[in-house]
Amino acid sequence: MLSKRLRTIADLIIPGSVVFDVGSDHALLPCYLAQKGLIKRAYAGDNKPGPLQSAINNINRLKLNDLVIPLLSEGLEKVTPDVDTVVIAGMGVNTAIEILQNADLKQFKRIIVQLNRNTDQFRSYLSDSNYSIIDETIIYDGFYYPIIVFNTIYHERYTAKEIALGPILLKKREPSFYDYLQQMADKLAEIELKAKKDDDRSKLLIMIKEELAKK
């Protein structure tokens, strides 16, 4: 059964897309998309033979060989010209940025990124690159997972508040966003009590409290 996190990512993929799933592991997401008839095809990429074999086993078991293609690939190294959507999920921010910096992103209509932490650092990279954040959502699946969708169409730099909290999240104001902000505020307040004051941390806490007051 697909996790809530991966189902949310699946919902962000436009039907009929050709998807490259970076670090696909067991190819759960590509197989789900293929079974539901949501894509033309998907590539399950992984840079390690062991996880790739797990993907191959799942693809064979589900008889999806015509729709899901396993590839031994370092990041987007072996991406094919037909791919229009990329998924990078469950990685650290530095790894995700390195994968993107080592590829030509212009062919992709949307790139979906779900990081385990440091989402603000990733938004800062997008801002510095003048990329456009076209969608964001946040879900709780044991932890809070912000998910960002972007493309390379030019966008002016985002503000400090947009980088910290998410430009689309600030517009959509989903209930999960406020729950996430409250958790962040509680953690920051606890750190402020125990540790030495930090200007950046204090500014972030003020921004979060301002948004929570709008709830």
Side-chain angles (χ1 to χ4, degrees):
M1 184 177 178
L2 208 63
S3 67
K4 184 177 178 182
R5 175 179 65 92
L6 290 179
R7 286 200 310 273
T8 303
I9 292 171
D11 289 341
L12 291 168
I13 293 170
I14 296 171
S17 297
V18 178
V19 178
F20 193 103
D21 185 26
V22 181
S24 194
D25 199 6
H26 290 72
L28 296 179
L29 178 63
C31 287
Y32 172 85
L33 293 167
Q35 283 184 306
K36 296 293 183 181
L38 297 172
I39 52 169
K40 287 181 182 177
R41 76 186 62 83
Y43 297 89
D46 211 290
N47 66 350
K48 295 181 179 64
L52 188 69
Q53 187 58 54
S54 296
I56 292 168
N57 293 342
N58 274 339
I59 294 164
N60 290 339
R61 177 175 59 84
L62 296 169
K63 297 180 172 57
L64 295 172
N65 307 72
D66 292 338
L67 291 173
V68 183
I69 298 97
L71 286 175
L72 188 64
S73 177
E74 189 67 47
L76 290 165
E77 175 188 34
K78 293 185 180 175
V79 73
T80 52
D82 56 333
V83 172
D84 55 39
T85 301
V86 168
V87 175
I88 299 175
M91 296 187 185
V93 63
N94 292 329
T95 301
I97 291 173
E98 183 179 358
I99 288 169
L100 295 170
Q101 287 178 329
N102 288 332
D104 183 356
L105 306 182
K106 292 178 183 177
Q107 81 176 69
F108 310 125
K109 294 179 181 176
R110 54 176 43 203
I111 302 164
I112 302 169
V113 178
Q114 175 267 304
L115 302 173
N116 293 332
R117 57 181 64 86
N118 301 121
T119 307
D120 57 335
Q121 187 179 334
F122 186 73
R123 290 196 197 96
S124 183
Y125 155 72
L126 296 180
S127 180
D128 290 343
S129 303
N130 295 115
Y131 294 157
S132 295
I133 297 174
I134 55 176
D135 201 359
E136 290 179 296
T137 191
I138 187 162
I139 57 107
Y140 183 79
D141 191 13
F143 300 91
Y144 284 102
Y145 293 104
I147 303 170
I148 295 171
V149 185
F150 77 95
N151 61 29
T152 60
I153 295 173
Y154 179 87
H155 192 286
E156 292 183 1
R157 289 186 176 223
Y158 291 98
T159 66
K161 189 173 189 177
E162 289 171 330
I163 288 170
L165 305 181
I168 308 298
L169 291 176
L170 284 164
K171 290 177 182 176
K172 290 165 72 172
R173 301 189 180 279
E174 299 167 319
S176 58
F177 174 58
Y178 286 109
D179 294 339
Y180 175 61
L181 290 185
Q182 188 61 62
Q183 184 191 68
M184 286 179 66
D186 292 344
K187 285 184 178 179
L188 287 168
E190 185 178 352
I191 292 170
E192 291 278 88
L193 284 173
K194 293 180 178 179
K196 187 178 179 180
K197 289 277 185 180
D198 178 273
D199 286 344
D200 289 338
R201 197 161 53 221
S202 297
K203 287 176 184 176
L204 177 58
L205 183 56
I206 289 168
M207 281 193 291
I208 291 172
K209 286 182 176 179
E210 286 174 351
E211 289 307 310
L212 285 171
K214 298 174 185 178
K215 184 176 178 181

